[in-house]
Amino acid sequence: MRYRAVLIALFLIPLLWGAVSLLRAASAHGTPDCPGLQLGPDGEDHPGPMRPGDTCALSYDTATGHSIGTGTYQQAVFAQDLKRRSLYRQGTLFIFYGAAGTGIVLIAARRREAAAPHASDRWFGAR
């Protein structure tokens, strides 16, 4: 009985993680985020959502004022799309894995309980 609860818990964790991944994928839409310094077409800092023509300084060195890596708006949109697809795939696989494992444990436990004699049969004889 205790092992069944542990196994179910171990399969419910990936099931929950899959649901969280699907929720993250569903929320990753719209304008892409710039994790660094966002520069407009004029080369100045532009806060707010990224717009076409903007570039993103992905790794910005504050000592020298130079960006080490940059990305365009189109690259940020492409990266966001890749991340969303990856999260959908990961979430779906984790949900299938968790649901299949939980189902197998529950079915095996029911079959084992049905095959086992009842405690009253051991003491009072079969009815």
Side-chain angles (χ1 to χ4, degrees):
M1 183 74 157
R2 187 175 60 199
Y3 296 118
R4 178 178 21 161
V6 170
L7 283 174
I8 288 175
L10 287 176
F11 283 115
L12 286 178
I13 291 170
L15 189 69
L16 179 64
W17 186 260
V20 169
S21 295
L22 287 178
L23 288 173
R24 286 181 55 207
S27 68
H29 67 291
T31 58
D33 294 331
C34 175
L37 181 66
Q38 182 176 323
L39 303 173
D42 55 356
E44 295 293 323
D45 180 24
H46 287 276
M50 241 181 133
R51 295 176 290 274
D54 287 354
T55 58
C56 181
L58 301 172
S59 182
Y60 185 74
D61 187 10
T62 56
T64 61
H66 298 289
S67 62
I68 299 168
T70 61
T72 64
Y73 176 80
Q74 289 79 16
Q75 289 171 333
V77 169
F78 180 71
Q80 182 180 11
D81 187 45
L82 282 178
K83 181 70 173 176
R84 182 175 50 246
R85 281 189 270 159
S86 173
L87 285 171
Y88 274 130
R89 191 176 319 115
Q90 175 187 3
T92 303
L93 288 174
F94 274 129
I95 282 184
F96 281 143
Y97 173 78
T102 303
I104 289 170
V105 169
L106 290 176
I107 289 171
R110 282 189 184 165
R111 285 186 182 169
R112 189 171 183 183
E113 286 176 0
H118 293 289
S120 63
D121 292 344
R122 280 185 265 154
W123 294 103
F124 301 112
R127 294 182 212 180

Short mmCIF file of all heavy atoms in Angstrom, two decimals, residues 47-118:
data_model
loop_
_atom_site.label_atom_id
_atom_site.label_comp_id
_atom_site.label_asym_id
_atom_site.label_seq_id
_atom_site.Cartn_x
_atom_site.Cartn_y
_atom_site.Cartn_z
N PRO A 47 12.62 51.64 -23.79
CA PRO A 47 11.93 50.70 -22.90
C PRO A 47 10.55 50.34 -23.47
O PRO A 47 10.05 51.00 -24.37
CB PRO A 47 11.80 51.48 -21.59
CG PRO A 47 11.84 52.90 -21.98
CD PRO A 47 12.70 52.98 -23.21
N GLY A 48 9.99 49.31 -22.93
CA GLY A 48 8.67 48.87 -23.38
C GLY A 48 8.78 47.65 -24.27
O GLY A 48 9.83 47.02 -24.38
N PRO A 49 7.67 47.31 -24.93
CA PRO A 49 7.70 46.12 -25.78
C PRO A 49 8.59 46.32 -27.00
O PRO A 49 8.75 47.42 -27.50
CB PRO A 49 6.24 45.92 -26.18
CG PRO A 49 5.61 47.25 -26.01
CD PRO A 49 6.36 47.95 -24.93
N MET A 50 9.17 45.22 -27.46
CA MET A 50 10.02 45.26 -28.64
C MET A 50 9.17 45.50 -29.88
O MET A 50 8.08 44.95 -30.02
CB MET A 50 10.76 43.93 -28.78
CG MET A 50 12.26 44.08 -28.72
SD MET A 50 13.07 42.50 -28.91
CE MET A 50 14.28 42.98 -30.09
N ARG A 51 9.68 46.32 -30.79
CA ARG A 51 8.97 46.63 -32.03
C ARG A 51 9.87 46.27 -33.21
O ARG A 51 11.09 46.16 -33.05
CB ARG A 51 8.63 48.11 -32.07
CG ARG A 51 7.64 48.54 -30.99
CD ARG A 51 7.40 50.04 -31.01
NE ARG A 51 8.56 50.81 -30.57
CZ ARG A 51 8.84 51.09 -29.29
NH1 ARG A 51 8.05 50.65 -28.34
NH2 ARG A 51 9.89 51.79 -28.98
N PRO A 52 9.27 46.05 -34.39
CA PRO A 52 10.11 45.78 -35.57
C PRO A 52 11.12 46.91 -35.77
O PRO A 52 10.80 48.09 -35.63
CB PRO A 52 9.11 45.72 -36.72
CG PRO A 52 7.82 45.33 -36.07
CD PRO A 52 7.85 45.96 -34.71
N GLY A 53 12.34 46.54 -36.07
CA GLY A 53 13.43 47.50 -36.23
C GLY A 53 14.29 47.64 -34.99
O GLY A 53 15.39 48.17 -35.06
N ASP A 54 13.80 47.18 -33.85
CA ASP A 54 14.57 47.24 -32.61
C ASP A 54 15.61 46.13 -32.59
O ASP A 54 15.45 45.09 -33.22
CB ASP A 54 13.67 47.08 -31.38
CG ASP A 54 12.82 48.31 -31.12
OD1 ASP A 54 13.01 49.32 -31.82
OD2 ASP A 54 11.97 48.24 -30.22
N THR A 55 16.68 46.37 -31.86
CA THR A 55 17.68 45.33 -31.60
C THR A 55 17.80 45.17 -30.10
O THR A 55 17.48 46.06 -29.32
CB THR A 55 19.06 45.69 -32.19
OG1 THR A 55 19.49 46.93 -31.63
CG2 THR A 55 19.01 45.78 -33.70
N CYS A 56 18.27 44.02 -29.71
CA CYS A 56 18.40 43.70 -28.30
C CYS A 56 19.85 43.37 -28.02
O CYS A 56 20.42 42.45 -28.62
CB CYS A 56 17.50 42.51 -27.96
SG CYS A 56 17.54 42.04 -26.24
N ALA A 57 20.47 44.13 -27.13
CA ALA A 57 21.84 43.84 -26.70
C ALA A 57 21.74 42.75 -25.66
O ALA A 57 21.39 43.00 -24.50
CB ALA A 57 22.49 45.10 -26.15
N LEU A 58 22.03 41.53 -26.07
CA LEU A 58 21.82 40.37 -25.20
C LEU A 58 22.80 40.33 -24.03
O LEU A 58 22.45 39.94 -22.94
CB LEU A 58 21.93 39.09 -26.02
CG LEU A 58 20.92 39.00 -27.17
CD1 LEU A 58 21.23 37.80 -28.04
CD2 LEU A 58 19.52 38.93 -26.64
N SER A 59 24.03 40.74 -24.26
CA SER A 59 25.03 40.76 -23.21
C SER A 59 25.70 42.13 -23.27
O SER A 59 26.50 42.40 -24.16
CB SER A 59 26.04 39.63 -23.40
OG SER A 59 26.97 39.63 -22.36
N TYR A 60 25.36 43.00 -22.33
CA TYR A 60 25.81 44.38 -22.35
C TYR A 60 26.86 44.60 -21.27
O TYR A 60 26.63 44.29 -20.10
CB TYR A 60 24.60 45.29 -22.13
CG TYR A 60 24.91 46.76 -22.24
CD1 TYR A 60 25.13 47.35 -23.47
CD2 TYR A 60 24.98 47.54 -21.11
CE1 TYR A 60 25.40 48.70 -23.57
CE2 TYR A 60 25.25 48.89 -21.19
CZ TYR A 60 25.46 49.46 -22.43
OH TYR A 60 25.74 50.80 -22.53
N ASP A 61 28.01 45.13 -21.67
CA ASP A 61 29.10 45.41 -20.73
C ASP A 61 28.97 46.87 -20.28
O ASP A 61 29.15 47.80 -21.07
CB ASP A 61 30.45 45.18 -21.42
CG ASP A 61 31.61 45.30 -20.45
OD1 ASP A 61 31.37 45.37 -19.23
OD2 ASP A 61 32.75 45.30 -20.94
N THR A 62 28.67 47.08 -19.00
CA THR A 62 28.47 48.44 -18.50
C THR A 62 29.78 49.21 -18.36
O THR A 62 29.77 50.44 -18.38
CB THR A 62 27.75 48.40 -17.14
OG1 THR A 62 28.50 47.60 -16.24
CG2 THR A 62 26.35 47.86 -17.29
N ALA A 63 30.90 48.53 -18.24
CA ALA A 63 32.18 49.21 -18.07
C ALA A 63 32.61 49.89 -19.37
O ALA A 63 33.07 51.03 -19.37
CB ALA A 63 33.25 48.23 -17.60
N THR A 64 32.46 49.19 -20.50
CA THR A 64 32.90 49.76 -21.78
C THR A 64 31.76 50.38 -22.56
O THR A 64 31.99 51.18 -23.46
CB THR A 64 33.56 48.67 -22.64
OG1 THR A 64 32.61 47.65 -22.91
CG2 THR A 64 34.78 48.08 -21.94
N GLY A 65 30.51 49.97 -22.27
CA GLY A 65 29.37 50.50 -23.01
C GLY A 65 29.11 49.77 -24.31
O GLY A 65 28.32 50.25 -25.13
N HIS A 66 29.75 48.64 -24.52
CA HIS A 66 29.58 47.89 -25.76
C HIS A 66 28.76 46.64 -25.50
O HIS A 66 28.84 46.03 -24.45
CB HIS A 66 30.94 47.48 -26.35
CG HIS A 66 31.79 48.64 -26.72
ND1 HIS A 66 31.53 49.46 -27.78
CD2 HIS A 66 32.92 49.14 -26.14
CE1 HIS A 66 32.44 50.40 -27.87
NE2 HIS A 66 33.31 50.23 -26.86
N SER A 67 27.99 46.27 -26.53
CA SER A 67 27.25 45.02 -26.41
C SER A 67 28.08 43.89 -27.02
O SER A 67 28.71 44.05 -28.06
CB SER A 67 25.89 45.13 -27.11
OG SER A 67 26.07 45.39 -28.48
N ILE A 68 28.05 42.76 -26.35
CA ILE A 68 28.83 41.62 -26.79
C ILE A 68 28.05 40.81 -27.81
O ILE A 68 28.60 40.30 -28.77
CB ILE A 68 29.24 40.76 -25.58
CG1 ILE A 68 30.10 41.61 -24.65
CG2 ILE A 68 29.96 39.50 -26.00
CD1 ILE A 68 30.33 41.00 -23.31
N GLY A 69 26.75 40.71 -27.65
CA GLY A 69 25.89 39.99 -28.58
C GLY A 69 24.60 40.74 -28.78
O GLY A 69 24.04 41.32 -27.85
N THR A 70 24.09 40.78 -30.01
CA THR A 70 22.84 41.47 -30.30
C THR A 70 21.91 40.54 -31.05
O THR A 70 22.32 39.56 -31.65
CB THR A 70 23.07 42.73 -31.15
OG1 THR A 70 23.67 42.35 -32.39
CG2 THR A 70 23.94 43.73 -30.43
N GLY A 71 20.64 40.86 -31.01
CA GLY A 71 19.62 40.12 -31.75
C GLY A 71 18.59 41.09 -32.29
O GLY A 71 18.25 42.09 -31.65
N THR A 72 18.09 40.81 -33.48
CA THR A 72 17.08 41.66 -34.09
C THR A 72 15.69 41.27 -33.60
O THR A 72 15.52 40.24 -32.92
CB THR A 72 17.14 41.55 -35.62
OG1 THR A 72 16.81 40.21 -35.99
CG2 THR A 72 18.50 41.94 -36.15
N TYR A 73 14.71 42.05 -33.98
CA TYR A 73 13.32 41.76 -33.61
C TYR A 73 12.89 40.41 -34.20
O TYR A 73 12.27 39.60 -33.52
CB TYR A 73 12.41 42.88 -34.12
CG TYR A 73 10.95 42.62 -33.88
CD1 TYR A 73 10.38 42.84 -32.64
CD2 TYR A 73 10.12 42.15 -34.91
CE1 TYR A 73 9.04 42.59 -32.42
CE2 TYR A 73 8.79 41.90 -34.69
CZ TYR A 73 8.24 42.13 -33.45
OH TYR A 73 6.91 41.89 -33.23
N GLN A 74 13.25 40.17 -35.46
CA GLN A 74 12.88 38.91 -36.12
C GLN A 74 13.53 37.71 -35.43
O GLN A 74 12.92 36.65 -35.29
CB GLN A 74 13.27 38.94 -37.60
CG GLN A 74 12.43 39.85 -38.45
CD GLN A 74 12.84 41.32 -38.32
OE1 GLN A 74 13.93 41.64 -37.81
NE2 GLN A 74 11.96 42.21 -38.75
N GLN A 75 14.77 37.87 -34.98
CA GLN A 75 15.43 36.79 -34.27
C GLN A 75 14.77 36.53 -32.92
O GLN A 75 14.65 35.39 -32.49
CB GLN A 75 16.91 37.11 -34.08
CG GLN A 75 17.71 37.05 -35.35
CD GLN A 75 19.13 37.58 -35.17
OE1 GLN A 75 19.39 38.41 -34.31
NE2 GLN A 75 20.04 37.09 -36.01
N ALA A 76 14.33 37.58 -32.25
CA ALA A 76 13.65 37.42 -30.97
C ALA A 76 12.30 36.73 -31.15
O ALA A 76 11.92 35.87 -30.33
CB ALA A 76 13.46 38.78 -30.30
N VAL A 77 11.58 37.06 -32.23
CA VAL A 77 10.31 36.40 -32.51
C VAL A 77 10.54 34.92 -32.81
O VAL A 77 9.81 34.05 -32.33
CB VAL A 77 9.59 37.09 -33.69
CG1 VAL A 77 8.41 36.27 -34.19
CG2 VAL A 77 9.12 38.48 -33.29
N PHE A 78 11.58 34.61 -33.60
CA PHE A 78 11.91 33.23 -33.93
C PHE A 78 12.29 32.44 -32.68
O PHE A 78 11.84 31.30 -32.48
CB PHE A 78 13.04 33.19 -34.96
CG PHE A 78 13.44 31.81 -35.37
CD1 PHE A 78 12.59 31.04 -36.16
CD2 PHE A 78 14.64 31.28 -34.97
CE1 PHE A 78 12.95 29.76 -36.54
CE2 PHE A 78 15.01 30.01 -35.34
CZ PHE A 78 14.17 29.24 -36.12
N ALA A 79 13.10 33.03 -31.81
CA ALA A 79 13.51 32.37 -30.57
C ALA A 79 12.31 32.12 -29.66
O ALA A 79 12.20 31.06 -29.04
CB ALA A 79 14.56 33.20 -29.85
N GLN A 80 11.38 33.08 -29.60
CA GLN A 80 10.19 32.91 -28.78
C GLN A 80 9.31 31.78 -29.34
O GLN A 80 8.76 30.98 -28.59
CB GLN A 80 9.40 34.21 -28.74
CG GLN A 80 8.18 34.15 -27.87
CD GLN A 80 7.42 35.46 -27.85
OE1 GLN A 80 7.69 36.36 -28.64
NE2 GLN A 80 6.47 35.58 -26.96
N ASP A 81 9.21 31.69 -30.66
CA ASP A 81 8.43 30.63 -31.29
C ASP A 81 9.06 29.25 -31.01
O ASP A 81 8.35 28.29 -30.72
CB ASP A 81 8.32 30.87 -32.79
CG ASP A 81 7.39 29.89 -33.46
OD1 ASP A 81 6.30 29.64 -32.91
OD2 ASP A 81 7.76 29.38 -34.54
N LEU A 82 10.38 29.17 -31.10
CA LEU A 82 11.07 27.91 -30.79
C LEU A 82 10.84 27.49 -29.34
O LEU A 82 10.60 26.32 -29.04
CB LEU A 82 12.56 28.03 -31.05
CG LEU A 82 13.03 27.95 -32.49
CD1 LEU A 82 14.53 28.15 -32.55
CD2 LEU A 82 12.64 26.64 -33.11
N LYS A 83 10.93 28.45 -28.43
CA LYS A 83 10.73 28.16 -27.01
C LYS A 83 9.31 27.68 -26.75
O LYS A 83 9.08 26.73 -26.00
CB LYS A 83 11.04 29.42 -26.18
CG LYS A 83 10.88 29.24 -24.71
CD LYS A 83 11.96 28.35 -24.15
CE LYS A 83 11.88 28.32 -22.64
NZ LYS A 83 12.83 27.41 -22.07
N ARG A 84 8.33 28.32 -27.40
CA ARG A 84 6.93 27.93 -27.22
C ARG A 84 6.70 26.50 -27.71
O ARG A 84 6.07 25.69 -27.04
CB ARG A 84 6.01 28.92 -27.93
CG ARG A 84 4.54 28.62 -27.75
CD ARG A 84 3.62 29.66 -28.35
NE ARG A 84 3.95 29.98 -29.72
CZ ARG A 84 4.40 31.17 -30.14
NH1 ARG A 84 4.58 32.14 -29.28
NH2 ARG A 84 4.66 31.38 -31.41
N ARG A 85 7.23 26.18 -28.90
CA ARG A 85 7.08 24.82 -29.43
C ARG A 85 7.76 23.79 -28.53
O ARG A 85 7.23 22.70 -28.30
CB ARG A 85 7.63 24.73 -30.85
CG ARG A 85 6.66 25.29 -31.87
CD ARG A 85 7.14 24.99 -33.26
NE ARG A 85 7.98 26.11 -33.67
CZ ARG A 85 8.87 26.06 -34.62
NH1 ARG A 85 9.09 24.93 -35.27
NH2 ARG A 85 9.58 27.11 -34.95
N SER A 86 8.92 24.14 -28.00
CA SER A 86 9.63 23.24 -27.11
C SER A 86 8.84 23.00 -25.82
O SER A 86 8.75 21.86 -25.34
CB SER A 86 11.00 23.81 -26.77
OG SER A 86 11.64 23.05 -25.79
N LEU A 87 8.23 24.04 -25.28
CA LEU A 87 7.43 23.89 -24.07
C LEU A 87 6.18 23.05 -24.32
O LEU A 87 5.78 22.25 -23.48
CB LEU A 87 7.05 25.26 -23.51
CG LEU A 87 8.17 26.01 -22.80
CD1 LEU A 87 7.73 27.44 -22.50
CD2 LEU A 87 8.57 25.31 -21.53
N TYR A 88 5.52 23.23 -25.48
CA TYR A 88 4.36 22.41 -25.82
C TYR A 88 4.75 20.94 -25.92
O TYR A 88 4.07 20.06 -25.40
CB TYR A 88 3.73 22.85 -27.14
CG TYR A 88 2.74 23.97 -27.02
CD1 TYR A 88 2.83 25.09 -27.82
CD2 TYR A 88 1.67 23.90 -26.12
CE1 TYR A 88 1.92 26.12 -27.72
CE2 TYR A 88 0.76 24.93 -26.01
CZ TYR A 88 0.88 26.03 -26.82
OH TYR A 88 -0.02 27.05 -26.71
N ARG A 89 5.86 20.66 -26.60
CA ARG A 89 6.32 19.29 -26.77
C ARG A 89 6.67 18.68 -25.41
O ARG A 89 6.27 17.56 -25.09
CB ARG A 89 7.52 19.27 -27.71
CG ARG A 89 7.94 17.91 -28.17
CD ARG A 89 9.08 17.95 -29.17
NE ARG A 89 8.96 19.01 -30.17
CZ ARG A 89 9.81 20.03 -30.28
NH1 ARG A 89 10.84 20.14 -29.47
NH2 ARG A 89 9.64 20.95 -31.20
N GLN A 90 7.43 19.41 -24.61
CA GLN A 90 7.83 18.93 -23.29
C GLN A 90 6.62 18.69 -22.40
O GLN A 90 6.52 17.66 -21.73
CB GLN A 90 8.77 19.95 -22.65
CG GLN A 90 9.17 19.63 -21.24
CD GLN A 90 9.97 20.77 -20.61
OE1 GLN A 90 10.17 21.82 -21.21
NE2 GLN A 90 10.41 20.56 -19.40
N GLY A 91 5.69 19.63 -22.38
CA GLY A 91 4.50 19.48 -21.54
C GLY A 91 3.65 18.30 -21.95
O GLY A 91 3.15 17.55 -21.10
N THR A 92 3.48 18.10 -23.26
CA THR A 92 2.69 16.97 -23.74
C THR A 92 3.33 15.64 -23.36
O THR A 92 2.65 14.72 -22.89
CB THR A 92 2.53 17.06 -25.27
OG1 THR A 92 1.93 18.32 -25.60
CG2 THR A 92 1.67 15.95 -25.80
N LEU A 93 4.64 15.54 -23.54
CA LEU A 93 5.32 14.29 -23.19
C LEU A 93 5.25 14.00 -21.69
O LEU A 93 5.01 12.86 -21.28
CB LEU A 93 6.78 14.35 -23.64
CG LEU A 93 7.00 14.24 -25.15
CD1 LEU A 93 8.47 14.45 -25.48
CD2 LEU A 93 6.52 12.92 -25.68
N PHE A 94 5.44 15.02 -20.87
CA PHE A 94 5.37 14.81 -19.42
C PHE A 94 3.96 14.42 -18.98
O PHE A 94 3.79 13.58 -18.09
CB PHE A 94 5.83 16.04 -18.65
CG PHE A 94 7.31 16.11 -18.45
CD1 PHE A 94 8.02 17.25 -18.79
CD2 PHE A 94 8.00 15.06 -17.89
CE1 PHE A 94 9.39 17.32 -18.59
CE2 PHE A 94 9.36 15.12 -17.69
CZ PHE A 94 10.06 16.25 -18.04
N ILE A 95 2.94 15.02 -19.59
CA ILE A 95 1.57 14.67 -19.22
C ILE A 95 1.26 13.22 -19.62
O ILE A 95 0.67 12.47 -18.85
CB ILE A 95 0.57 15.66 -19.83
CG1 ILE A 95 0.59 16.94 -18.99
CG2 ILE A 95 -0.83 15.08 -19.91
CD1 ILE A 95 -0.39 17.99 -19.38
N PHE A 96 1.66 12.82 -20.83
CA PHE A 96 1.43 11.44 -21.24
C PHE A 96 2.18 10.46 -20.35
O PHE A 96 1.64 9.42 -19.94
CB PHE A 96 1.83 11.22 -22.70
CG PHE A 96 0.81 11.70 -23.68
CD1 PHE A 96 1.21 12.30 -24.86
CD2 PHE A 96 -0.54 11.57 -23.44
CE1 PHE A 96 0.28 12.75 -25.77
CE2 PHE A 96 -1.49 12.02 -24.35
CZ PHE A 96 -1.08 12.62 -25.52
N TYR A 97 3.42 10.77 -20.02
CA TYR A 97 4.23 9.90 -19.16
C TYR A 97 3.59 9.78 -17.77
O TYR A 97 3.44 8.67 -17.24
CB TYR A 97 5.65 10.45 -19.05
CG TYR A 97 6.52 9.72 -18.07
CD1 TYR A 97 7.09 8.50 -18.38
CD2 TYR A 97 6.78 10.26 -16.81
CE1 TYR A 97 7.89 7.83 -17.47
CE2 TYR A 97 7.57 9.60 -15.90
CZ TYR A 97 8.12 8.39 -16.24
OH TYR A 97 8.90 7.73 -15.33
N GLY A 98 3.23 10.91 -17.18
CA GLY A 98 2.64 10.89 -15.83
C GLY A 98 1.30 10.19 -15.80
O GLY A 98 1.01 9.42 -14.88
N ALA A 99 0.46 10.44 -16.82
CA ALA A 99 -0.86 9.81 -16.86
C ALA A 99 -0.73 8.31 -17.09
O ALA A 99 -1.44 7.51 -16.46
CB ALA A 99 -1.71 10.45 -17.95
N ALA A 100 0.15 7.90 -17.99
CA ALA A 100 0.34 6.47 -18.26
C ALA A 100 0.88 5.75 -17.02
O ALA A 100 0.40 4.67 -16.65
CB ALA A 100 1.28 6.27 -19.44
N GLY A 101 1.87 6.33 -16.37
CA GLY A 101 2.44 5.70 -15.18
C GLY A 101 1.43 5.60 -14.05
O GLY A 101 1.33 4.56 -13.39
N THR A 102 0.67 6.66 -13.82
CA THR A 102 -0.35 6.64 -12.77
C THR A 102 -1.41 5.60 -13.08
O THR A 102 -1.84 4.85 -12.21
CB THR A 102 -0.99 8.03 -12.61
OG1 THR A 102 0.04 8.98 -12.33
CG2 THR A 102 -2.01 8.05 -11.51
N GLY A 103 -1.82 5.54 -14.34
CA GLY A 103 -2.83 4.55 -14.74
C GLY A 103 -2.34 3.13 -14.56
O GLY A 103 -3.08 2.26 -14.07
N ILE A 104 -1.10 2.86 -14.94
CA ILE A 104 -0.55 1.52 -14.80
C ILE A 104 -0.47 1.12 -13.32
O ILE A 104 -0.81 -0.01 -12.95
CB ILE A 104 0.84 1.43 -15.47
CG1 ILE A 104 0.67 1.48 -16.99
CG2 ILE A 104 1.58 0.18 -15.05
CD1 ILE A 104 1.96 1.65 -17.75
N VAL A 105 -0.03 2.03 -12.47
CA VAL A 105 0.06 1.72 -11.03
C VAL A 105 -1.33 1.44 -10.46
O VAL A 105 -1.52 0.49 -9.69
CB VAL A 105 0.76 2.87 -10.27
CG1 VAL A 105 0.61 2.71 -8.77
CG2 VAL A 105 2.21 2.95 -10.65
N LEU A 106 -2.31 2.24 -10.82
CA LEU A 106 -3.67 2.04 -10.29
C LEU A 106 -4.28 0.73 -10.78
O LEU A 106 -4.91 0.00 -10.01
CB LEU A 106 -4.55 3.23 -10.65
CG LEU A 106 -4.23 4.53 -9.93
CD1 LEU A 106 -5.10 5.66 -10.45
CD2 LEU A 106 -4.40 4.37 -8.43
N ILE A 107 -4.09 0.42 -12.06
CA ILE A 107 -4.63 -0.83 -12.60
C ILE A 107 -3.96 -2.04 -11.95
O ILE A 107 -4.62 -3.01 -11.58
CB ILE A 107 -4.49 -0.86 -14.14
CG1 ILE A 107 -5.46 0.15 -14.75
CG2 ILE A 107 -4.73 -2.25 -14.69
CD1 ILE A 107 -5.25 0.37 -16.24
N ALA A 108 -2.64 -1.98 -11.81
CA ALA A 108 -1.93 -3.10 -11.18
C ALA A 108 -2.35 -3.27 -9.73
O ALA A 108 -2.48 -4.40 -9.23
CB ALA A 108 -0.42 -2.87 -11.27
N ALA A 109 -2.59 -2.19 -9.03
CA ALA A 109 -3.00 -2.28 -7.63
C ALA A 109 -4.40 -2.87 -7.51
O ALA A 109 -4.67 -3.68 -6.61
CB ALA A 109 -2.96 -0.91 -6.98
N ARG A 110 -5.30 -2.53 -8.42
CA ARG A 110 -6.66 -3.08 -8.38
C ARG A 110 -6.64 -4.58 -8.68
O ARG A 110 -7.36 -5.34 -8.05
CB ARG A 110 -7.56 -2.36 -9.38
CG ARG A 110 -8.01 -1.03 -8.89
CD ARG A 110 -9.04 -0.46 -9.80
NE ARG A 110 -9.39 0.88 -9.35
CZ ARG A 110 -10.04 1.74 -10.07
NH1 ARG A 110 -10.41 1.44 -11.30
NH2 ARG A 110 -10.33 2.92 -9.59
N ARG A 111 -5.83 -4.97 -9.65
CA ARG A 111 -5.75 -6.40 -9.98
C ARG A 111 -5.16 -7.18 -8.80
O ARG A 111 -5.58 -8.30 -8.52
CB ARG A 111 -4.89 -6.61 -11.22
CG ARG A 111 -5.59 -6.22 -12.48
CD ARG A 111 -4.76 -6.57 -13.67
NE ARG A 111 -5.44 -6.14 -14.88
CZ ARG A 111 -4.89 -6.12 -16.07
NH1 ARG A 111 -3.64 -6.52 -16.21
NH2 ARG A 111 -5.57 -5.73 -17.12
N ARG A 112 -4.20 -6.60 -8.15
CA ARG A 112 -3.57 -7.28 -7.00
C ARG A 112 -4.55 -7.40 -5.84
O ARG A 112 -4.60 -8.42 -5.17
CB ARG A 112 -2.32 -6.51 -6.58
CG ARG A 112 -1.51 -7.24 -5.59
CD ARG A 112 -0.20 -6.55 -5.39
NE ARG A 112 0.60 -7.32 -4.46
CZ ARG A 112 1.75 -6.96 -4.03
NH1 ARG A 112 2.29 -5.83 -4.43
NH2 ARG A 112 2.42 -7.70 -3.18
N GLU A 113 -5.35 -6.35 -5.61
CA GLU A 113 -6.35 -6.41 -4.54
C GLU A 113 -7.43 -7.41 -4.86
O GLU A 113 -7.95 -8.10 -3.97
CB GLU A 113 -6.96 -5.03 -4.32
CG GLU A 113 -6.05 -4.07 -3.61
CD GLU A 113 -6.66 -2.68 -3.50
OE1 GLU A 113 -7.79 -2.48 -3.98
OE2 GLU A 113 -5.99 -1.81 -2.94
N ALA A 114 -7.81 -7.53 -6.12
CA ALA A 114 -8.86 -8.48 -6.50
C ALA A 114 -8.37 -9.92 -6.38
O ALA A 114 -9.14 -10.82 -6.06
CB ALA A 114 -9.31 -8.21 -7.93
N ALA A 115 -7.09 -10.15 -6.61
CA ALA A 115 -6.54 -11.51 -6.54
C ALA A 115 -6.22 -11.93 -5.10
O ALA A 115 -6.17 -13.11 -4.81
CB ALA A 115 -5.28 -11.60 -7.38
N ALA A 116 -5.99 -10.99 -4.23
CA ALA A 116 -5.61 -11.30 -2.85
C ALA A 116 -6.84 -11.74 -2.05
O ALA A 116 -7.92 -11.17 -2.21
CB ALA A 116 -4.97 -10.10 -2.18
N PRO A 117 -6.70 -12.73 -1.18
CA PRO A 117 -7.84 -13.12 -0.34
C PRO A 117 -8.11 -12.05 0.72
O PRO A 117 -7.21 -11.33 1.14
CB PRO A 117 -7.36 -14.43 0.31
CG PRO A 117 -5.87 -14.36 0.26
CD PRO A 117 -5.53 -13.55 -0.97
N HIS A 118 -9.33 -11.97 1.11
CA HIS A 118 -9.71 -11.00 2.15
C HIS A 118 -9.20 -11.47 3.50
O HIS A 118 -9.03 -12.66 3.75
CB HIS A 118 -11.23 -10.83 2.20
CG HIS A 118 -11.77 -10.19 0.97
ND1 HIS A 118 -11.57 -8.87 0.68
CD2 HIS A 118 -12.49 -10.70 -0.07
CE1 HIS A 118 -12.15 -8.58 -0.47
NE2 HIS A 118 -12.72 -9.68 -0.95
#
